[in-house]
Amino acid sequence: MRRLGIMWVLALALIAASAGCGDDDGTATTAASSTTAAPTTSTTAPTTTTAATTTTSTTTTSTTTTTTTTTLPEDLHPVAGLSWADMFPPPGATATYRVTTYAGETLDLPGTFEEGVEWRGGTWDRFVIGTPEPGNEAMAVYYDRSEPWVFAVKGDEVFTAATAGGPEMVEMFATPLGFDTMGMPDTPFEGETEITLEFAGGGGMTVGVTYLLEVAALGEDVEVAAGTLGPTVQLRATIGGAFMNGGTFSLDMWLHPEQFLVKMTDGPAFRTLELLTPWQ
């Protein structure tokens, strides 16, 4: 079963690792102190000699230190140094992906980010590839990102051209599953929970599922339909548990610091997925 729509969202946090970060250092300077001596004066009369008198004056320059306070964003990642809010395209931003379906068809589909979408009794952000309506090839992932660097994933929908009555399949958590990404990329993410599956035509189940997300490569270029992009983060996601009947299944994702998801193999809805035209 090649379904892992909820995992791609977690991968966005790893973009920060390939973007890099830097620090600016400020240096304070102070003025040096100086002293000035007055010249010696003497007076001479024809019959009286007067000893010379010497007077010394000292000038002191005070030192002033200026301190500059910089207010950092509250959503700054402690390692990557990037703002959580800057990790996502603005609502309405678009791109195009070239996909290969599991039926072997190659399609060019639009991608977009949306906010405030009503779904399953809540309001969520949504990432979409394709048109998420019956009779189309598409996927839609629903999540909440209000807590910095934590993805609270509600679920996803997979649509196919062969299914006219609704999504071919829905994956959903009763309580959104929060993926905390503070420890990545050094520490793999591991999670275990239950997920509910719903299928076209009725029927479904709730089963246990495990997740493992780890960095397979960091900083390499990747060739996609849009050209050569880099640096990227390559992630390998492995799912198991009762969801996979005791076995495991893995997929790979490539993330770019500016173009987000640029490639995926064996992902939700599509066998392959590559960025064709950049996000704008």
Side-chain angles (χ1 to χ4, degrees):
M1 180 180 295
R2 291 175 170 83
R3 294 289 182 262
L4 197 59
I6 61 174
M7 293 303 296
W8 94 268
V9 184
L10 173 59
L12 285 180
L14 271 296
I15 298 170
S18 67
C21 59
D23 297 320
D24 294 325
D25 296 327
T27 303
T29 59
T30 58
S33 299
S34 61
T35 58
T36 304
T40 301
T41 59
S42 63
T43 304
T44 305
T47 57
T48 303
T49 301
T50 304
T53 301
T54 301
T55 303
T56 302
S57 63
T58 302
T59 301
T60 302
T61 302
S62 62
T63 301
T64 302
T65 301
T66 301
T67 302
T68 302
T69 301
T70 302
T71 302
L72 299 177
E74 294 182 356
D75 65 349
L76 205 67
H77 193 282
V79 177
L82 297 179
S83 167
W84 177 243
D86 292 340
M87 298 299 294
F88 297 86
T94 60
T96 306
Y97 287 92
R98 177 159 291 167
V99 307
T100 302
T101 70
Y102 285 105
E105 186 178 9
T106 299
L107 302 170
D108 294 343
L109 302 177
T112 189
F113 281 87
E114 301 172 355
E115 292 183 345
V117 178
E118 298 294 327
W119 189 72
R120 300 297 175 120
T123 303
W124 314 96
D125 292 343
R126 183 169 79 162
F127 171 72
V128 177
I129 294 180
T131 302
E133 297 176 356
N136 294 293
E137 300 285 346
M139 74 170 187
V141 183
Y142 298 84
Y143 58 95
D144 174 75
R145 57 185 175 95
S146 57
E147 182 179 351
W149 300 101
V150 175
F151 294 98
V153 182
K154 180 61 176 177
D156 68 87
E157 298 174 308
V158 174
F159 294 82
T160 66
T163 305
E168 179 185 272
M169 189 181 73
V170 176
E171 298 174 314
M172 183 176 60
F173 297 111
T175 300
L177 178 61
F179 293 88
D180 191 336
T181 63
M182 283 292 191
M184 300 186 78
D186 296 331
T187 304
F189 174 86
E190 296 183 75
E192 182 175 359
T193 187
E194 288 189 337
I195 191 169
T196 296
L197 309 178
E198 298 176 359
F199 304 101
M205 65 182 74
T206 298
V207 294
V209 61
T210 62
Y211 300 100
L212 172 65
L213 186 69
E214 54 194 337
V215 176
L218 186 63
E220 297 181 355
D221 292 347
V222 63
E223 187 72 27
V224 297
T228 302
L229 298 176
T232 64
V233 179
Q234 180 186 350
L235 303 179
R236 182 158 295 128
T238 303
I239 58 174
F243 183 73
M244 295 302 299
N245 296 320
T248 60
F249 171 78
S250 296
L251 64 82
D252 287 276
M253 296 169 281
W254 286 258
L255 285 300
H256 185 272
E258 295 177 356
Q259 294 303 323
F260 301 90
L261 180 66
V262 297
K263 183 177 180 179
M264 179 182 285
T265 58
D266 295 316
F270 311 116
R271 185 180 300 278
T272 63
L273 177 156
E274 295 183 7
L275 186 69
L276 176 61
T277 60
W279 285 94
Q280 57 183 343

